[in-house]
Amino acid sequence: MITALCVALGSMEFPACATLTNGGRFVKVLIVGAGATGGYFGLRLAQAGRDVTFLVRPKRAAALRERGLRLVGLGHEEVVTPQLVTAAELDTQYDVVLLSVKATGLSQAMDDLAPAIGPTTVIVPFLNGMAHLDLLNERFGKEAVLGGVVKVVTSLNADGDIVQSAPLATFELGEQEGGTSARTKELTALLDVPGYEFAVNHAIVPAMWHKWVFIASVGAVTCLMGGTVGEVVAAGGSSFSRAVVAEAAAVSAAAGFPVPDVTPIETAVTQAGSSLTSSLYRDMTAGHSTEGEQILGDLVDRALRHDLATPLLNAARLRLRVHEQQRA
């Protein structure tokens, strides 16, 4: 009963909720970035009465103060008034840091969030690929960093609102070494709220690799062919798409994380009529900078270390490098 009231009213309006959200050592949450992904999960946490602050750039802070943090799409509109802080203002340590920035902005984000890291702070990254894990471990210590996998179909519109275009929303975290721990149980009490499916994954690093295989495959197919999955299939590209998946899965297997079943990924990239694209494709077609080196380039580099040939992934990487040169 109390839990339901907490979700409905928030901890500031119902004092008993303080016991639920403040009973453990994890209370204060800093979300680095309030974009389509970090903004979505942060909004859900704020709605559940969690003590959430967003670390954002001054321009984003101004927009959020004016409009609030808004979620639209799927026939609904929701808004919260977020707690905000900029890098110049950050002077408080937090219990949990959810890191939701593009991989291209990771270096700056680590500098910005450094004042928030205390001796027991836990960092959960939402980034794509795997290179960020090594960088975070080196900067803040492996003990402070968990693995994380989130899936949500959202984007930002021209007003800076979060647009959700499909109901999928999941959040998994886990210890890099696998298994269970007392802190992941405590984090469940803090982070498991309505609005998404939450789970502690006891094999989070393999899960991160397998997500990487998926996003690299979709990204390579759509960027290299210049269209949606459905358009590629309609042009006779199904065998090409399966070959891309095979290359990406081979790299994961060589690294020690074989994909148990590639069928769902193959199905995703060969579905007739599918409007599926990727963030790489959307950024490329919009003329924005992409995460091409972090998602495709790093995968190709790791393939070379294992003497694997990945001509299709390499071609997609080259396509995005040309895009970046054109932008410059």
Side-chain angles (χ1 to χ4, degrees), residues 42-111:
L43 179 142
R44 293 306 188 200
L45 288 166
Q47 287 177 325
R50 302 304 192 251
D51 184 355
V52 176
T53 300
F54 294 89
L55 174 60
V56 293
R57 294 180 178 179
K59 183 178 180 180
R60 181 63 169 155
L64 291 171
R65 290 190 178 106
E66 179 180 347
R67 289 184 56 79
L69 182 62
R70 292 177 180 269
L71 175 66
V72 299
L74 303 182
H76 60 76
E77 180 172 347
E78 305 169 53
V79 59
V80 300
T81 301
Q83 298 184 86
L84 305 171
V85 65
T86 63
E89 300 164 337
L90 184 61
D91 60 1
T92 301
Q93 293 181 352
Y94 287 78
D95 303 307
V96 180
V97 173
L98 304 182
L99 181 55
S100 182
V101 298
K102 281 194 171 185
T104 52
L106 177 59
S107 179
Q108 183 63 55
M110 289 193 297
D111 291 340

Side-chain angles (χ1 to χ4, degrees), residues 187-252:
L187 286 167
T188 299
L190 177 71
L191 301 174
D192 188 2
V193 300
Y196 56 81
E197 295 182 12
F198 177 87
V200 174
N201 191 322
H202 306 312
I204 193 66
V205 171
M208 292 170 68
W209 267 94
H210 300 160
K211 180 187 177 183
W212 191 11
V213 169
F214 176 81
I215 62 174
S217 297
V218 178
V221 168
T222 57
C223 289
L224 200 53
M225 294 296 103
T228 66
V229 163
E231 290 169 338
V232 175
V233 172
S238 293
S239 60
F240 155 78
S241 298
R242 291 190 188 93
V244 170
V245 174
E247 286 188 6
V251 182
S252 186

Side-chain angles (χ1 to χ4, degrees), residues 102 128 215 218-219 222-223 277-285 289-291 295:
K102 281 194 171 185
N128 293 320
I215 62 174
V218 178
T222 57
C223 289
T277 60
S278 68
S279 61
L280 289 175
Y281 174 80
R282 292 189 293 273
D283 285 339
M284 182 184 75
T285 55
S289 180
T290 76
E291 294 179 301
I295 295 177

Side-chain angles (χ1 to χ4, degrees), residues 9-24:
L9 300 177
S11 61
M12 298 302 294
E13 300 178 45
F14 191 64
C17 295
T19 302
L20 293 178
T21 57
N22 297 352

